[in-house]
Amino acid sequence: MQADAPIGVFDSGVGGLTVLRTLIEKLPREHTIYLGDTARVPYGTRSGETVTRYALLCARHLAAHGIKLLVVACNTVSAHSLTALADALPIPVVGVIEPGAQAAAARTRGGAIAVLGTPATVASGAYQAALRRLAPLSSVVARACPLFVPLAEEGWIDGEIPRLVAERYLSDLRRAADTVLLGCTHYPLLARVIAEVMGPQVALVDSAEATVQAVAALLEARSLLRTGSSAARHGTLCTDLPDRFRAVAERFLGRPLPSVELVDLGTFSHS
Ligand code: DGL
């Protein structure tokens, strides 16, 4: 595998751009190729089997682009499908659960951690299991907050409506947690509202930075960090509605996307 090959990043849609943004900031020399499965989003309200079926299609498509490493930016996929992806691909696969749980375990003071995620992520128990292993003395409560995803995509991240939704999901956790793990790609966009509802004593942890650190360490250990001095290239693919993807993407990526290519992942095969 060549150090010059791109890093593949995928998510169910635009949300994983929050991880890509950190990746580009921290590893600016790396070429990247991002795939958002906008034809099948959301994943977070589906069964684990369906999520894995979709994830394998995405991963194989990116692998065919000659990527050197796959970042699974989607928490729902990381929670359900990481082993299936690692078994299917000949390259390293990095998910967000383990790095996110490590960051929360390092951050908590009193050992009370609230994990927020999609219904599928919470139901998988993946964050809860990782935190029990990494911080055995902590108490962990997990809460599904499905309405945060459409709110973030609509750009309704401030004001009365997201505030009421956050109150409804989180008000009873106010005294139950000193650390909140944002276990979904979209939730960092709602960080301000979540922080307001949870109160100033609560630390918010986002897995993006810890995931990028894991990627950097893995590439370094395998001598796969890109050293070339030419400008890094960033490709973006999606499976439906590229114009809507571009319009929403800027909010997640923090800058405009030059172009988005529409791709067809075909159908699932067990081979
Ligand atoms: N990307 C998903 C996650 O992080 C959220 C959006 C979805 O449900 O597909 O879990």
Side-chain angles (χ1 to χ4, degrees):
M1 185 48 69
Q2 302 275 318
D4 210 41
I7 297 173
V9 181
F10 92 94
D11 179 48
S12 53
V14 285
L17 292 171
T18 54
V19 176
L20 181 70
R21 178 183 188 158
T22 309
L23 183 72
I24 292 173
E25 262 165 39
K26 303 283 174 201
L27 296 173
R29 286 184 163 175
E30 297 295 336
H31 299 310
T32 65
I33 176 159
Y34 180 93
L35 171 61
D37 190 11
T38 42
R40 296 169 184 81
V41 71
Y43 284 13
T45 47
R46 302 187 195 278
S47 68
E49 294 72 32
T50 298
V51 169
T52 300
R53 200 151 43 88
Y54 293 170
L56 283 166
L57 281 173
C58 294
R60 288 187 178 129
H61 188 89
L62 282 176
H65 279 79
I67 57 173
K68 61 183 173 183
L69 178 144
L70 179 67
V71 180
V72 181
C74 182
N75 290 253
T76 304
V77 174
S78 299
H80 283 281
S81 322
L82 211 59
T83 309
L85 294 174
D87 288 348
L89 299 187
I91 49 168
V93 177
V94 177
V96 292
I97 302 285
E98 188 71 17
Q102 279 171 4
R107 189 66 185 268
T108 182
R109 297 171 306 277
I113 302 169
V115 179
L116 314 184
T118 65
T121 297
V122 169
S124 77
Y127 270 121
Q128 298 92 313
L131 286 166
R132 266 196 303 277
R133 183 167 35 77
L134 294 163
L137 299 180
S138 64
S139 69
V140 179
V141 39
R143 179 69 43 94
C145 309
L147 288 178
F148 284 171
V149 167
L151 284 174
E153 295 210 357
E154 283 300 314
W156 291 16
I157 55 175
D158 278 312
E160 191 186 4
I161 293 171
R163 169 93 197 200
L164 283 174
V165 173
E167 284 275 357
R168 182 74 179 255
Y169 283 139
L170 306 175
S171 55
D172 64 312
L173 297 180
R174 224 173 255 142
R175 263 169 285 281
D178 68 21
T179 302
V180 169
L181 175 48
L182 303 174
C184 174
T185 47
H186 290 59
Y187 298 2
L189 271 77
L190 288 148
R192 199 171 24 214
V193 164
I194 295 170
E196 272 168 30
V197 170
M198 292 301 291
Q201 76 291 352
V202 173
L204 262 45
V205 174
D206 159 7
S207 55
E209 197 139 321
T211 302
V212 171
Q213 276 168 17
V215 168
L218 216 149
L219 290 177
E220 186 165 21
R222 297 188 184 206
S223 304
L224 281 175
L225 279 169
R226 180 171 178 257
T227 50
S229 56
S230 61
R233 290 186 299 274
H234 304 293
T236 314
L237 318 173
C238 74
T239 52
D240 200 8
L241 298 172
D243 291 341
R244 173 168 160 81
F245 184 96
R246 268 189 73 193
V248 179
E250 189 170 344
R251 204 160 39 246
F252 286 78
L253 192 59
R255 61 185 167 91
L257 265 182
S259 69
V260 181
E261 187 189 334
L262 181 64
V263 294
D264 181 359
L265 303 184
T267 48
F268 181 71
S269 116
H270 279 280
S271 60

